[in-house]
Amino acid sequence: MGFMIAIDGPAAAGKGTLSRQVAEAYGFHHLDTGLTYRATAKALLDAGLPLDDEKVAEKMAQEVDLMGLDRDILSAHAIGEAASRIAVMPAVRRALVEAQRSFSRKEPGTVLDGRDIGTVVCPDAPVKLYVTASAEVRAHRRHDEIVAKGAEADYDAIFAEVKTRDDRDMGRADSPLKPAPDAHLLDTSEMSIEAAFRAAKAIIDAALKTK
Ligand code: CDP
Ligand code: CDP
């Protein structure tokens, strides 16, 4: 079994950016678990199937190929919205968590990011980071990302969406978003991407020394 790093936090906190940098720096495999929920949602949408039938969604979740997850294809807004709806279903979570756990055991190490990695998927991970930032900062980040792509963006609408997503992620009965008791909190509201990486690296290096 490899060395596991669990990174959780709310939407647009900087989990993905940090996870990719950490995986690259340590030569570990990376899985953005949000993409597994998005791939399940996209398969349902493409097939014209309902998003509220747990049995149907579970079947789709069982067929998700972790090696074939394409960030660009899955980034569409409608897919994220649908993903957050099917992510409340226990049968969907069970199927995806099983696939995520088997990925997490790869050698020499893995970085998984999502909402429930430290609490449910990899509760024994020696490093758990809970990356967060204020809702305002996160909405600004999403806004700037869209504008950078040359598209129009309405800050107030994005802020409202960030809040709705938080409520859904933190309020669901199965695996709600919350820091694991032993997670290191990393509030990036006033941190650059580089500063967040340095803070994470110090925590990971300390854990690797005591391995
Ligand atoms: O994966 P998650 O939704 O948590 O966030 P992300 O996609 O890694 O980051 C959202 C946006 O915030 C990206 O455009 C990052 O470049 C930016 N970001 C930032 O400005 N400052 C940070 N400390 C972290 C991320
Ligand atoms: O679009 P956003 O960056 O907020 O989310 P994402 O990380 O791409 O994940 C899409 C949806 O899957 C989120 O709304 C979460 O509710 C859900 N998710 C989850 O429930 N558990 C995870 N480990 C990862 C994502």
Side-chain angles (χ1 to χ4, degrees):
M1 197 149 68
F3 189 83
M4 287 176 203
I5 300 174
I7 303 188
D8 291 302
K15 305 177 298 294
T17 306
L18 180 64
S19 301
R20 283 190 290 278
Q21 287 182 328
V22 166
E24 161 112 29
Y26 292 89
F28 290 175
H29 307 275
H30 171 227
L31 177 63
D32 171 352
T33 61
L35 294 182
T36 66
Y37 290 89
R38 284 171 176 266
T40 306
K42 180 173 189 297
L44 290 167
L45 292 171
D46 286 352
L49 291 166
L51 291 172
D52 56 359
D53 184 327
E54 189 159 356
K55 274 258 162 290
V56 171
E58 177 186 22
K59 250 195 126 8
M60 285 301 190
Q62 285 164 343
E63 283 166 22
V64 167
D65 171 14
L66 295 196
M67 296 307 127
L69 300 169
D70 185 322
R71 256 200 106 62
D72 291 330
I73 294 173
L74 296 171
S75 71
H77 184 260
I79 297 177
E81 192 47 37
S84 108
R85 290 177 53 194
I86 58 153
V88 304
M89 298 175 173
V92 169
R93 301 202 70 87
R94 223 177 297 125
L96 295 178
V97 165
E98 189 182 312
Q100 293 160 10
R101 272 194 192 130
S102 95
F103 182 97
S104 74
R105 292 192 274 266
K106 283 179 183 240
E107 296 279 359
T110 54
V111 183
L112 274 72
D113 74 288
R115 304 292 193 284
D116 59 343
I117 310 303
T119 51
V120 175
V121 181
C122 306
D124 298 327
V127 174
K128 297 180 186 176
L129 303 175
Y130 189 85
V131 183
T132 186
S134 71
E136 287 77 9
V137 167
R138 290 185 284 123
H140 274 297
R141 287 178 182 167
R142 271 287 141 83
H143 174 271
D144 295 350
E145 234 171 19
I146 297 168
V147 171
K149 283 186 191 151
E152 298 236 336
D154 172 353
Y155 173 80
D156 291 335
I158 295 172
F159 180 75
E161 269 171 29
V162 163
K163 299 286 279 183
T164 307
R165 191 64 63 89
D166 284 359
D167 289 346
R168 217 179 268 164
D169 282 342
M170 294 174 190
R172 68 174 168 238
D174 187 351
S175 316
L177 169 65
K178 62 173 178 208
D182 53 345
H184 296 268
L185 298 189
L186 211 61
D187 186 334
T188 70
S189 299
E190 297 186 13
M191 265 189 199
S192 66
I193 293 175
E194 294 71 31
F197 174 72
R198 279 196 303 272
K201 187 172 184 299
I203 294 165
I204 297 164
D205 286 344
L208 278 167
K209 259 193 210 138
T210 62
K211 200 174 87 148

